[in-house]
Amino acid sequence: MFEKILIANRGEIALRINRACKEMGIQTVAVHSTADADAMHVRLADESVCIGPPPAAQSYLNIPQIIAACEITGAEAIHPGYGFLSENARFAEIVTEHGITFIGPKPEHIRLMGDKIAAKASVKSLGIPTVPGSDGAVTSDADAQAIADKIGYPVLVKAAAGGGGRGMKVARTAADMSRALSTARAEAKSAFGDDAVYLEKYLEKPRHIEVQVLADSFGKVLHLGERDCSLQRRHQKVWEEAPSPALNAAQREKIGGVVTSALTKLGYLGAGTIEFLFEEGEFYFIEMNTRLQVEHPVTEAITGIDIVREQIRIAAGGAIGFEQDDVVFAGNAIECRINAENPFTFQPSPGTITQFHAPGGLGVRFDSAIYSGYRIPPYYDSLAGKLIVHGKNRNECLMRLRRALDELVVGGIETTIPLFQHLVRETDILNGEYNIHWLEKFLASKKP
C-alpha cells in the first residue's frame, strides 16, 4: 500500500480523497494555487505545496509543477479527483514515466473514451447498445443529410471531443441541419480545438442513467448499480439519485451484466462510469467517464462501498475484496449539488461565507470544503457542496432531504438551496416522473 498520496485537485473532492487516505493510514499532500492557500483541503492534509497563481492553467493544470510537488514530498501516487487533469491521458502517462502511480485507468482507455466517436465504435463492438447515428465524424452537409434521412429526425449534432453540453445542437427538420452543423462545429472548435462532429438520433424524453463500475488488475469487473442523473440544466447535472425510479431489478441486472462483460473484454482498470440515455425500456450509450464522478456518494450510500478507497487499493495492485453477489442495494439516496449561484438564473456568486451550518442526523451527509469566513474564489467551478441523504425507501429519502435542506445555512452568497426546496415539493419529482428536459421546462416556467 502507498505511504503517501498527492491529491491533484481542490475543494470538496480533494477533502473527500484526503479523508479516505487518512482512514487507510496514508499520508497526504495537498497542492494549491495562491487563491486556495486557506482552503480546507490544504489545512487538513499532512503537507501542502503551492503550485502557482489562481488561473487553473498555471496551477491545477500545471503538470510540471504537480510532478515537482511529488518529487519534493516523496509522494508515491497521485489521485486526480474529477475535472482538471483527471481524464488527461498524457498526464497519466507522464505520471507513470516519473515512477509515480496514477490512481485511475490506463492511459489508453482514458484516451479512447475521450474521443466520443472512437468510444462509441469501441463499446458497440463490445456489445453495449448505442444510439443510432453516424459511424464516425460527418465530413459534409450532404453526408449529414443522408444519415439523418436514414435514422429519422430529430437528430443531435455532437462534438467528437465534447463534454458539458458544448458543441451539441438539435436539428428537428432537414431545414435545420446546415445551421446545426455549422454552429456545433464552431462551438467545438472554440471549446476543444477540434471541430469534428457526429450525428445521433435525438431521443425526445429519455432519462440519463449511468452505471458505476470497478475493475481490478486481476480481471474482476463489478458494477455497483445505477444512478439517475436526469435532472439537468444545459446538460449539467443538478440532482442525482440511486437507484433510478425508472428501472426495475431485471433492467438493472441486465445493463449491469452488459457493462461488466464489455469492460472485462476491454481490460479496464479502476473506477469508471458508463452513461446511457434510457427510453421506453432501451439503453443507449452516451459516453464513458474514466474517473471518479461528482455523484459517487449516492452509490456509496446504497451499497456501503467506499469507492475512493477501492480506487486506491486497486491502483496499489490489490484485488477487489468482494463479489458481485455481495453488492446489496439498500434503500434510496439523493444528491443535490449546492452551487454558489443564483438558484434560478444560475449566475455565479463568489464571495465570503458569513454564516454556515451543515445539516445532520441519520442518513445525512454533506460533502463540502466551505466554512464560515471562507471566501469562494471566482476562478473555479461554483460547486460549494453536495448534500446527500439516504433512507430505507424513496419516500423517506425525500422527506429527509426536505428536512436537511431546511437545516442547511450558507450565508453571504447566493446558492441553489432554494431551487432544491422547490424541487423536493414538486409532484413529478415526488413521483419520480421526470426526464432530461424536465428541469429546463420547470425553470422556464419560473421566469418572471
Side-chain angles (χ1 to χ4, degrees), residues 202-209 228 230 276-280 282 284 434-438:
Y202 181 69
L203 303 177
E204 292 287 356
K205 293 183 178 181
R207 297 185 78 117
H208 185 130
I209 305 293
D228 195 318
S230 302
F276 296 93
L277 291 179
F278 176 75
E279 188 172 77
E280 296 181 355
E282 299 295 331
Y284 303 100
Y434 55 86
N435 55 60
I436 64 170
H437 307 301
W438 188 96

Side-chain angles (χ1 to χ4, degrees), residues 232-253:
Q232 303 177 9
R233 173 187 173 268
R234 296 182 180 175
H235 305 286
Q236 297 293 321
K237 299 167 186 173
V238 171
W239 158 310
E240 303 98 353
E241 61 178 296
S244 169
L247 265 61
N248 58 40
Q251 291 167 326
R252 181 172 302 112
E253 183 178 356

Side-chain angles (χ1 to χ4, degrees), residues 33-205:
S33 69
T34 53
D36 279 337
D38 292 328
M40 189 61 76
H41 77 280
V42 177
R43 294 183 175 196
L44 294 181
D46 295 299
E47 300 174 63
S48 64
V49 179
C50 182
I51 55 172
Q58 300 175 48
S59 52
Y60 296 105
L61 296 173
N62 190 327
I63 295 175
Q65 288 286 71
I66 292 171
I67 297 298
C70 272
E71 293 175 344
I72 291 168
T73 60
E76 307 152 83
I78 293 178
H79 196 306
Y82 56 70
F84 293 130
L85 295 167
S86 63
E87 291 181 289
N88 186 312
R90 184 58 189 142
F91 175 59
E93 289 171 342
I94 291 170
V95 169
T96 303
E97 288 165 5
H98 282 78
I100 304 164
T101 301
F102 179 76
I103 301 177
K106 301 170 186 176
E108 59 264 33
H109 292 152
I110 299 175
R111 185 171 285 112
L112 171 65
M113 295 303 169
D115 181 330
K116 291 192 176 183
I117 292 175
K120 183 178 178 180
S122 177
V123 301
K124 187 175 182 180
S125 71
L126 294 170
I128 293 178
T130 60
V131 182
S134 59
D135 292 329
V138 291
T139 55
S140 69
D141 287 16
D143 287 342
Q145 290 283 11
I147 294 166
D149 289 341
K150 181 179 179 181
I151 64 176
Y153 286 93
V155 298
L156 185 63
V157 183
K158 300 179 71 174
R166 290 172 292 181
M168 294 174 61
K169 296 296 171 185
V170 178
R172 292 196 169 274
T173 67
D176 300 331
M177 180 60 77
S178 180
R179 181 176 177 81
L181 285 167
S182 61
T183 305
R185 284 177 178 139
E187 286 187 7
K189 183 68 174 178
S190 175
F192 312 113
D194 182 353
D195 67 355
V197 297
Y198 64 104
L199 299 187
E200 285 185 348
K201 175 69 177 174
Y202 181 69
L203 303 177
E204 292 287 356
K205 293 183 178 181

Side-chain angles (χ1 to χ4, degrees), residues 365-383:
R365 169 178 168 181
F366 189 62
D367 280 17
S368 176
I370 65 174
Y371 55 87
S372 185
Y374 174 65
R375 179 172 177 77
I376 294 180
Y379 312 104
Y380 314 113
D381 185 273
S382 61
L383 183 66

Side-chain angles (χ1 to χ4, degrees), residues 10-13 15-16 19 36 38-44 338-340 349-359 366-377 381-387 408-417:
R10 63 177 301 279
E12 71 85 17
I13 192 58
L15 190 56
R16 164 73 185 92
R19 287 170 173 156
D36 279 337
D38 292 328
M40 189 61 76
H41 77 280
V42 177
R43 294 183 175 196
L44 294 181
I338 310 299
N339 291 341
S349 179
T352 301
I353 295 172
T354 57
Q355 295 174 296
F356 174 60
H357 179 265
F366 189 62
D367 280 17
S368 176
I370 65 174
Y371 55 87
S372 185
Y374 174 65
R375 179 172 177 77
I376 294 180
D381 185 273
S382 61
L383 183 66
K386 304 181 310 197
L387 175 59
L408 178 58
V409 177
V410 182
I413 60 169
E414 289 190 293
T415 73
T416 50
I417 295 170

